[in-house]
Structures are given as structure tokens and as C-alpha cells.
Amino acid sequence: MSHVVTGGGRGVGRAVVERLLAAGGTVVVIERDPAALAWVAGHPAGDRVVPVTGDAADEDVTGHAADLAERAAPLRGWVNNAAVFRDASVHTAPAAEVFDLIAANLRPAVTGSATAVRRFLEAGTGGAVVNVSSHQAARPVPGALPYATAKAAVEGLTRALAVDYGRYGVRVNAVALGSVTTERHDAFLAGQPSTEAERISGELARLHPLGRIAGADEAAAAVAYLLSADASFVNGVTLPVDGGRAALGLDPEAH
């Protein structure tokens, strides 16, 4: 079988790709930044990992990725992981700028889901879509309005697609991630003075009842489960993968 993973060059997306490759399938990786796909050359999976450079919000790009996946094996899963981490406040930025930032995170999920659903319907075999959301969809952190708004919409999209296409064997679910150890997170900490990096790490541990943030592989495991036959009756669900952060509900700005 084959899968498509958007934003699969780094972080959680890369971890999802590696887990799916380890299961023996073909994975088409969509990534906007060509440098994030440098690892594909020489990968032990060989031609089972297929890079596509482009914008996951572009239907031509997602259509091409679907073509490549179907050429290799029946398309069974699609992961909408691509995200943009840039924010703006409504009291300082034009509303159009804020909306554009919301769309930058929502459009790839809509485009990827539409491509996947169409291909699943055409094949008549069904399939699974997993949208990567965030704990911020339910509990935004200060200063992250566009991102939190987009992720809330992604979760609504997930439920609506599940209702519309479940009868055709298409399952659509989401994972709501807490903080995750990724290259981006590590680079952020590396750019802080050591005492500040220690303080931030301590605060993040405090926000997660398990006392730490997730590894990218732990997030990927949840995505892989929702794609798998083991989740054959799981549809329209947003699965928290946050170590209990949403259940605890601490304010990250509280001291």
C-alpha cells in the first residue's frame, strides 16, 4: 500500500514517514523546502520513499503526489501535517493578514483531504486521512490566534469529512499534539541563553502531566495507528497526544 505525508521532511512528519516505511509501504513526501528532503537520497527504503517538492496547498502538487503513490501501490492513507508557524494579533495586523495566516494552515488540510477523498472514491476501496492538529485548537496559548483558529477549523473539517464519507469506507481522524521534540524545537532552545532554555524546558514539563514533552516518534505512532486497520471503526475523532496537557489545562503564562 502507499501513503502521502505532507510536511514530511522534518519533525513529526519525518517520523510518520519513517514509521510507515518501516511497515513496508511506499510513502510520497510533500515538502515545500527542498533542503528538508536531502535525506531521501540514499535512504535504506530506496524507491519506496518518493519526494515531491511543492506547496501542500496546491492541488497540482497534491494531485501529482497522489499519482506517484498510486503508481507504486494502492493509495490507502494521507497525512496532512504541513504547517506554518507564524502569528499575528488582530489589534496590530490588518484582518486580511490574519486571515491569510489562518488560511496558510487550513488550506493544506483542505486541499490534501480533498485530493485523498477523491482518489479513495475513484478507487472504490476507501482509505484513511489523518489531520495533524494541536492542543491549541481547544486551549490557545497567548499570541497564537491564527494558528489556534486554523487548528480548530481543521478539527471541524475532520468531523465533517468523517460524516460525509464514512459510508464510502473513508475514515478521517485527527491527532491534537502537545509540545513535541523536533528540529524546530531544538533550534529554538539552542538560540536561548542556557538559563532561559532550562526555564523553558521546565515550564514545558510542568504543562504536561507526564513531566516531559513528546518525542516525534510518539506522535507518529498515534498517526500510524489511526491509519491502520486496527483503527477500522475509529472515525471523526480528534485524539489528544499531549501527555495530558489538555486535561491539566494550565495557563502557560501563569506564574
Side-chain angles (χ1 to χ4, degrees), residues 80-242:
N80 289 311
N81 173 70
V84 175
F85 299 99
R86 188 163 71 85
D87 287 300
S89 298
V90 296
H91 71 286
T92 57
E97 179 183 336
V98 175
F99 186 80
D100 286 346
L101 288 172
I102 293 170
N105 272 303
L106 179 57
R107 190 180 296 275
V110 174
T111 302
S113 296
T115 301
V117 166
R118 290 169 188 163
R119 298 304 177 101
F120 294 152
L121 295 180
E122 288 170 7
T125 56
V129 175
V130 177
N131 294 316
V132 177
S133 184
S134 166
H135 65 96
Q136 291 202 55
R139 291 182 180 274
V141 302
L145 185 150
Y147 183 78
T149 302
K151 290 305 186 183
V154 165
E155 293 185 8
L157 171 72
T158 297
R159 291 186 290 271
L161 289 169
V163 168
D164 284 348
Y165 298 105
R167 73 193 71 182
Y168 303 106
V170 177
R171 297 184 302 106
V172 186
N173 294 291
V175 290
L177 304 182
S179 298
V180 183
T181 300
T182 62
E183 297 95 324
R184 178 174 170 271
H185 176 76
D186 290 342
F188 168 72
L189 289 181
Q192 306 294 320
S194 60
T195 54
E196 180 64 7
E198 290 177 8
R199 186 194 70 79
I200 292 170
S201 295
E203 283 297 292
L204 287 173
R206 183 180 72 89
L207 293 171
H208 297 76
L210 288 182
R212 62 177 178 84
I213 66 175
D217 57 330
E218 293 175 304
V223 173
Y225 162 70
L226 291 173
L227 289 170
S228 75
D230 287 341
S232 58
F233 206 65
V234 180
N235 190 36
V237 163
T238 295
L239 175 65
V241 186
D242 64 359

